Structures are given as C-alpha cells and as structure tokens.
Amino acid sequence: MSPRSALVNEELRRRSKERLLHAAVELVDERGYDATTLGDIADRAGSARGLVSYYFPGKRQLVQSAVHRLMHRTLEEALEREPRTDDGGERMARAIDAILGLARDRPVLMRQHMAGLLQAEGFLPCPEQRRLAELLSDTVARHGSRDVESDYPMLRALLMGAVYAAVMPGAPMSVPMLRAELFKRYRLDWEMGVPPDPGGTGGTKERDRTDMARFFATDPETQSK
C-alpha cells in the first residue's frame, strides 16, 4: 500500500480537528464546562484521546476555540445571507442579532464561555477568534467608523456585555431590551437585521437549536450549503 500524500494527511487532520471542535460545543452546551472532560470530547468526536493534546494545549483552549468557531461562522452566515447587502447599518444590525441570538439559543454554552474569559487564563487568542475579530472589524468599518482600531474593541465590549447580561443566572435581561439599547447606540432602525416577533419573547429570529453541525462540517459539500 502506498503512503498517503501530504494533502490527504492534511485533510484528515483538518477533519479530526473539526470533529473535536464540534464535540466540544455540543458537550459543553449539554453538560456545562466542568462536567465535560477531554476524554468525553474525544469519545464524542470518535478520536484518540491523544489527538486532543496534539491540537490543543488544554480544555480551556479547545472550548474557547470551539465557541469562537461557532460565533464567527454564525456571524459570517448572518452577514452573507440573502439578500446580500453592503449597507453598513444593515450589516451592523445583522451582526448584533447574530451574537444576541447565540446568547438566547445557547445560554449554557455562552455562559460557560463568558466564565472562561474571566478565569486566570483569561482570553486565549486563536485562529477562530482572529476570524471573529476580522468580521467584526469589517462590520465596524462598513458602518462608517473613522477609527476602526478604537471602535472595534468598543463593539466587542458592548456585545460581550450584552451576552453576559442575557445569560446571567438569576437575573437575565431580555434579548429584545438589549437589542434596543445596541440599536439605539448605533442608530439602527428596529426593522433592520432580524427583528423580534411582535408578540413573542424570542428576541431575534428563531433557529433550530440542534443545527450546529453545519459550522463544523467535515464534508466540503456540507460546508458550502
């Protein structure tokens, strides 16, 4: 049997990493961070446990990377959905709704993510986070910022604060209320993005909570859908 080519090996590594990221968000969403072990993640991904250490220094790095992947893919999908637009206000509205939608739909996962950022290790840069930063920076620029280097961190801080307020145990704020404050700050029309249902409490457009797999697809054809 001839040895696998470098391209085949690279593709196999990519798929293994994708499965680990997907397993991490699924399990933390289901059980919480503390109740999820690296062994659990490897088992759910169908990977050897040693592979986790090969790709990630530890559980915190893996989970942060996984959540940042979910965030940037969710954001990217929202920004590029039909009808596509270059309007800065509409793109800002879509970005706000995408991130608030995650807080509403996946409070356990996002609560654990926020808690992780407040731990001693704090914020852990990774390629997934850098892609999220690129998308948010581009959103700020298209919205008309003259100082993206200052305005991007402010948008990031406001979104993180809104997520924290939405998922805070015991006293969560409603997503529509948080949305209204962010829309007011950025002078956005309420009908932009994906407004809440008039009589509902959902906040932003309802999604199927089970539909995360498309953001961690190992099949290129699935990723393009």
Side-chain angles (χ1 to χ4, degrees), residues 60-129:
R60 182 66 64 190
Q61 289 87 345
L62 168 54
V63 172
Q64 277 200 29
S65 291
V67 176
H68 282 136
R69 160 67 67 87
L70 178 62
M71 291 176 73
H72 86 66
R73 287 286 178 88
T74 298
L75 178 57
E76 193 168 42
E77 182 178 83
L79 293 173
E80 299 306 320
R81 75 166 185 268
E82 298 293 343
R84 294 190 178 185
T85 180
D86 290 324
D87 180 77
E90 174 63 23
R91 292 180 71 86
M92 178 65 77
R94 291 184 183 190
I96 292 170
D97 281 340
I99 301 303
L100 288 181
L102 284 173
R104 180 207 61 216
D105 292 342
R106 303 190 178 278
V108 173
L109 182 65
M110 298 307 292
R111 186 181 303 125
Q112 297 297 312
H113 178 61
M114 297 301 295
L117 296 177
L118 297 175
Q119 297 297 313
E121 292 175 298
F123 177 75
L124 304 169
C126 65
E128 308 295 345
Q129 184 279 327

Side-chain angles (χ1 to χ4, degrees), residues 14-15 214 217-225:
R14 183 190 69 79
R15 293 188 180 199
R214 68 189 185 284
T218 56
D219 180 348
E221 291 186 3
T222 303
Q223 284 186 307
S224 66
K225 292 180 181 179

Side-chain angles (χ1 to χ4, degrees), residues 51-221:
L51 270 182
V52 182
S53 300
Y54 176 79
Y55 292 120
F56 302 98
K59 185 170 74 167
R60 182 66 64 190
Q61 289 87 345
L62 168 54
V63 172
Q64 277 200 29
S65 291
V67 176
H68 282 136
R69 160 67 67 87
L70 178 62
M71 291 176 73
H72 86 66
R73 287 286 178 88
T74 298
L75 178 57
E76 193 168 42
E77 182 178 83
L79 293 173
E80 299 306 320
R81 75 166 185 268
E82 298 293 343
R84 294 190 178 185
T85 180
D86 290 324
D87 180 77
E90 174 63 23
R91 292 180 71 86
M92 178 65 77
R94 291 184 183 190
I96 292 170
D97 281 340
I99 301 303
L100 288 181
L102 284 173
R104 180 207 61 216
D105 292 342
R106 303 190 178 278
V108 173
L109 182 65
M110 298 307 292
R111 186 181 303 125
Q112 297 297 312
H113 178 61
M114 297 301 295
L117 296 177
L118 297 175
Q119 297 297 313
E121 292 175 298
F123 177 75
L124 304 169
C126 65
E128 308 295 345
Q129 184 279 327
R130 285 193 288 273
R131 179 56 181 155
L132 177 62
E134 289 170 1
L135 290 169
L136 289 175
S137 294
D138 180 69
T139 299
V140 167
R142 294 190 191 215
H143 187 249
S145 171
R146 296 181 180 179
D147 185 2
V148 174
E149 290 189 3
S150 296
D151 292 339
Y152 155 65
M154 178 58 68
L155 173 61
R156 181 184 64 195
L158 290 168
L159 290 173
M160 289 174 65
V163 169
Y164 178 81
V167 303
M168 184 169 57
M173 292 184 66
S174 76
V175 167
M177 184 182 297
L178 294 165
R179 182 184 196 264
E181 286 300 310
L182 288 169
F183 271 45
K184 180 179 179 181
R185 177 183 176 84
Y186 287 102
R187 300 180 181 180
L188 305 174
D189 185 88
W190 185 255
E191 296 307 314
M192 289 179 168
V194 187
D197 294 332
T201 59
T204 55
K205 184 179 179 181
E206 297 292 342
R207 296 197 64 89
D208 178 359
R209 293 189 73 261
T210 64
D211 188 16
M212 277 198 301
R214 68 189 185 284
F215 295 139
F216 301 90
T218 56
D219 180 348
E221 291 186 3

